[in-house]
């Protein structure tokens, strides 16, 4: 065999070797392909299930508050509002102020709290009792300050009607501020039984 033929033979062997190596690299086995497909489908399933779970998550329940507004608004009533609502939202829910409303001490930006009582005074009312507070600083945590509350506010106390509320105001004007809630028993028609019914709804400051 001459040199030329030997060279052709060697090149042929190298070509066959390279062809075989390329075939092994490019021709992935069916087992590997199947395993890759299974892994891909598994990942897709996990992804889809995650999306479905996120879509089915119920939003957190929104906390609400109940606030009673009375006085010079179009529709005095108890209103259900979102937590951290402002005074302006309550006034809007009540239809706005009446033409007789005294609004100069009303802070429309103030946050409201649950069980709050809001009283909007009338033009000409004595605003000293409101202490420049639009919610009439005569309430705290649902309790009424018997030293600053007006007649209508006092009537919000269970067992206190128009007559007793006026008696409380008369006593306050004659004797000065109450020193403690027990002093209510000195008011005409408020005995021990009535006092026990109302004591949890009142306070003094």
């Amino acid at each position: 065999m001459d040199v030329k033929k030997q060279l052709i033979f060697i090149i042929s062997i190298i070509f066959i070797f390279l062809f075989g190596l390329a075939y092994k690299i490019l021709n992935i086995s069916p087992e590997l392909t199947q395993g890759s497909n299974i892994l891909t489908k598994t990942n897709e399933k996990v992804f889809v299930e995650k999306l479905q779970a996120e879509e089915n998550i119920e939003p957190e329940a929104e906390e609400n508050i109940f606030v009673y507004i009375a006085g010079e608004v179009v529709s005095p009533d108890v209103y259900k509002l979102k937590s951290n609502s402002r005074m302006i939202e309550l006034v809007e829910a009540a239809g706005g102020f009446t033409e007789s409303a005294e609004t100069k001490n009303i802070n429309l930006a103030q946050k409201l709290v649950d069980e709050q009582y809001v009283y909007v005074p009338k033009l000409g009312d004595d605003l000293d009792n409101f202490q420049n507070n639009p919610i009439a600083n005569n309430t705290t945590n649902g309790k009424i300050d018997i030293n600053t509350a007006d007649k209508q506010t006092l009537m919000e106390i269970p067992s206190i009607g128009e007559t007793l509320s006026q008696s409380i105001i008369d006593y306050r004007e004659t004797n000065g501020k109450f020193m403690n809630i027990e002093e209510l028993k000195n008011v005409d028609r408020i005995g021990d039984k009535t006092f026990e019914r109302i004591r949890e709804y009142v306070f003094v400051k």
Side-chain angles (χ1 to χ4, degrees), residues 23-201:
Y23 177 81
K24 287 184 178 181
I25 293 175
L26 297 176
N27 189 26
I28 300 174
S29 65
E31 291 78 7
L32 291 176
T33 303
Q34 184 178 5
S36 177
N37 290 338
I38 292 174
L39 183 60
T40 301
K41 290 181 180 179
T42 301
N43 290 338
E44 289 178 353
K45 182 179 179 182
V46 171
F47 180 71
V48 171
E49 289 178 349
K50 184 178 180 180
L51 285 179
Q52 291 175 341
E54 290 177 351
E55 290 177 355
N56 292 330
I57 294 176
E58 295 183 0
E60 294 183 3
E62 193 170 58
E63 186 178 351
N64 296 310
I65 59 174
F66 291 86
V67 183
Y68 176 40
I69 184 169
E72 296 304 313
V73 288
V74 175
S75 302
D77 204 343
V78 176
Y79 289 93
K80 178 180 179 181
L81 301 169
K82 295 179 181 179
S83 178
N84 292 325
S85 291
R86 307 281 179 168
M87 180 66 65
I88 188 172
E89 295 172 84
L90 176 63
V91 173
E92 289 174 350
F97 298 117
T98 66
E99 294 181 357
S100 302
E102 175 57 85
T103 62
K104 66 181 181 181
N105 282 20
I106 303 295
N107 179 7
L108 294 175
Q110 183 174 5
K111 286 186 178 181
L112 303 171
V113 296
D114 191 35
E115 299 182 4
Q116 190 169 338
Y117 174 76
V118 177
Y119 182 76
V120 179
K122 182 186 296 186
L123 288 170
D125 281 351
D126 181 5
L127 297 182
D128 289 340
N129 286 339
F130 297 96
Q131 301 180 16
N132 295 321
N133 189 331
I135 60 172
N137 257 345
N138 48 34
T139 63
T140 297
N141 295 328
K143 293 187 177 184
I144 293 175
D145 182 4
I146 55 177
N147 278 329
T148 60
D150 61 9
K151 184 175 180 179
Q152 186 171 0
T153 304
L154 290 170
M155 289 173 63
E156 297 300 319
I157 304 171
S159 301
I160 299 296
E162 184 175 358
T163 300
L164 280 183
S165 64
Q166 186 59 55
S167 295
I168 292 172
I169 292 175
D170 291 342
Y171 180 90
R172 193 170 67 197
E173 291 176 349
T174 301
N175 301 281
K177 290 185 176 182
F178 292 91
M179 301 303 296
N180 51 62
I181 62 172
E182 284 74 15
E183 194 176 343
L184 274 172
K185 290 188 284 187
N186 295 334
V187 176
D188 187 32
R189 294 190 178 186
I190 298 182
D192 291 338
K193 290 184 178 180
T194 300
F195 176 74
E196 288 303 318
R197 286 197 295 268
I198 67 176
R199 65 180 305 160
E200 62 180 298
Y201 302 102

Side-chain angles (χ1 to χ4, degrees), residues 3-22:
V3 177
K4 185 177 180 180
K5 289 183 179 180
Q6 288 180 352
L7 185 59
I8 294 173
F9 177 77
I10 292 172
I11 292 174
S12 299
I13 294 298
I14 294 174
F15 179 78
I16 292 171
F17 174 77
L18 293 176
F19 180 80
L21 182 62

